[in-house]
Amino acid sequence: MCDSNPIITILHLSDIHRTNDEPVSIANISTALRNDLQRQQSEEGLPRPDFLVISGDLTQSAVEEEYEETFNLIDQLKDELTVPDFGRVILVPGNHDINWDMSSGVFSTGRKKPKDADPALMHCQDGIFFWTDQDRYAKRLQPFRDFYQRLYGREYGTVRKDQFDVWPFPDDGLCFVGLNSCDQVDHLRSKGKIYEEAVYQADKRLRKKFPDATGMLKIAIWHHDLNWLARQELNDCLDPSILGQLVDAGYGLALCGHTMALTLGKKINFLTFFLAMSTVSW
Ligand SMILES: [Fe+2]
């Protein structure tokens, strides 16, 4: 980390769920955050945030107008927080960033199991098969993808293996990797999943850019939480089968959101290597 600022501060927000007729104004949020940060600074000596992380559910129903509201909020927050530009804002999609109308429009249906359908993009409910392909499936994220393009000036992946992003900050000694835990989430399915190939591709891109990235703290950002540890009746948490791959890939920290409960990894037996933290609400 750079000598002039040995402490790196990350402001982690999640599930901001912005709507068209938002009852909590951008001004109110900005004022509350500014006051909170000033208090943290004076009472606990916490430096102002270097990074703003928003771990998904940017909108309530993933329509264009809600993304306009989200853009305005983030634009205001980055100024308030002295995060100098959108390059230090790290965000990922959540289940509320999937447009259900678009999702329902991209599936074919039938009573007979389709022969050549991608098993990951096929679902059977009450004897009816639903299936689609990757290009059509990506449309459920189109408003998010438009917003992403506007914010960063680059495209969010269409095919599943490309739905990630990498934000390396070698001078700060860390790297954020945004993963899509909505890989197979749509209007029919709610289980959080991260595609293994996307984790691999993210690592590949990082290694290509920084062959000697071993000294950097790798921070994974995704949306769905790990509350299957405490709330096993829930079926929309993150499928934990990806965690081993993340540990093997050298991630030291994960930030997520969704059900807004603290998930310190103390029950996870590989905590020594990996700490997963969700946003918290009291
Ligand atoms: Fe969520």
Side-chain angles (χ1 to χ4, degrees):
M1 295 180 187
C2 56
D3 294 338
S4 58
N5 186 12
I7 299 175
I8 300 294
T9 309
I10 301 169
L11 175 64
H12 178 201
L13 306 177
S14 193
D15 298 74
I16 55 178
H17 289 262
R18 301 306 286 173
T19 63
N20 295 340
D21 52 350
E22 190 53 61
V24 184
S25 70
I26 290 174
N28 282 349
I29 295 173
S30 298
T31 304
L33 265 175
R34 189 191 318 138
N35 291 341
D36 195 35
L37 288 169
Q38 281 173 351
R39 185 181 58 76
Q40 301 264 9
Q41 200 167 13
S42 61
E43 293 179 10
E44 300 178 36
L46 194 69
R48 294 184 75 78
D50 301 287
F51 301 99
L52 170 61
V53 169
I54 309 177
S55 54
D57 281 2
L58 309 173
T59 68
Q60 182 61 23
S61 50
V63 294
E64 187 183 339
E65 298 78 13
E66 294 178 346
Y67 280 110
E68 180 68 27
E69 167 73 17
T70 303
F71 185 92
N72 293 336
L73 172 62
I74 293 174
D75 195 29
Q76 174 80 19
L77 287 184
K78 103 177 152 39
D79 292 342
E80 287 288 348
L81 304 174
T82 63
V83 175
D85 54 57
F86 289 129
R88 285 183 171 246
V89 176
I90 290 95
L91 54 82
V92 293
N95 52 305
H96 281 268
D97 295 304
I98 289 168
N99 184 299
W100 280 25
D101 287 339
M102 292 180 180
S103 176
S104 62
V106 300
F107 282 87
S108 303
T109 59
R111 290 201 171 272
K112 201 173 172 186
K113 187 175 180 178
K115 273 184 184 169
D116 300 322
D118 181 344
L121 304 181
M122 184 175 64
H123 176 74
C124 184
Q125 190 176 61
D126 301 327
I128 306 287
F129 287 94
F130 298 80
W131 70 95
T132 185
D133 57 50
Q134 292 206 39
D135 285 342
R136 284 195 293 157
Y137 199 53
K139 288 180 182 162
R140 78 204 196 289
L141 278 168
Q142 192 56 49
F144 173 81
R145 297 179 74 243
D146 292 343
F147 164 80
Y148 207 86
Q149 179 75 45
R150 181 183 177 192
L151 196 72
Y152 296 123
R154 62 178 181 266
E155 191 172 290
Y156 192 73
T158 305
V159 295
R160 297 167 60 214
K161 71 178 178 61
D162 293 336
Q163 290 183 337
F164 68 88
D165 211 343
V166 171
W167 289 264
F169 296 95
D171 291 345
D172 294 314
L174 53 80
C175 173
F176 297 94
V177 177
L179 298 168
N180 178 20
S181 63
C182 301
D183 174 54
Q184 293 178 41
V185 175
D186 47 51
H187 69 295
L188 299 167
R189 302 179 292 182
S190 59
K191 183 81 178 169
K193 286 188 177 181
I194 296 171
Y195 188 31
E196 299 91 336
E197 181 67 19
V199 176
Y200 172 75
Q201 292 294 337
D203 228 44
K204 194 173 161 187
R205 186 187 295 177
L206 188 59
R207 281 200 311 271
K208 193 174 176 186
K209 214 167 182 178
F210 297 98
D212 191 23
T214 47
M216 285 201 273
L217 171 65
K218 285 173 67 176
I219 303 174
I221 315 293
W222 67 72
H223 178 62
H224 290 77
D225 59 79
L226 300 173
N227 283 327
W228 38 262
L229 291 166
R231 300 165 67 186
Q232 296 188 6
E233 77 280 7
L234 295 178
N235 63 5
D236 65 345
C237 305
L238 182 76
D239 183 336
S241 61
I242 195 68
L243 296 179
Q245 187 182 348
L246 293 171
V247 172
D248 289 344
Y251 287 91
L253 179 68
L255 301 174
C256 53
H258 195 46
T259 58
M260 313 293 282
L262 184 64
T263 311
L264 282 172
K266 60 187 176 184
K267 292 181 184 173
I268 304 176
N269 59 12
F270 45 79
L271 175 64
T272 314
F273 311 104
F274 189 73
L275 178 65
M277 293 187 72
S278 173
T279 47
V280 186
S281 63
W282 280 281

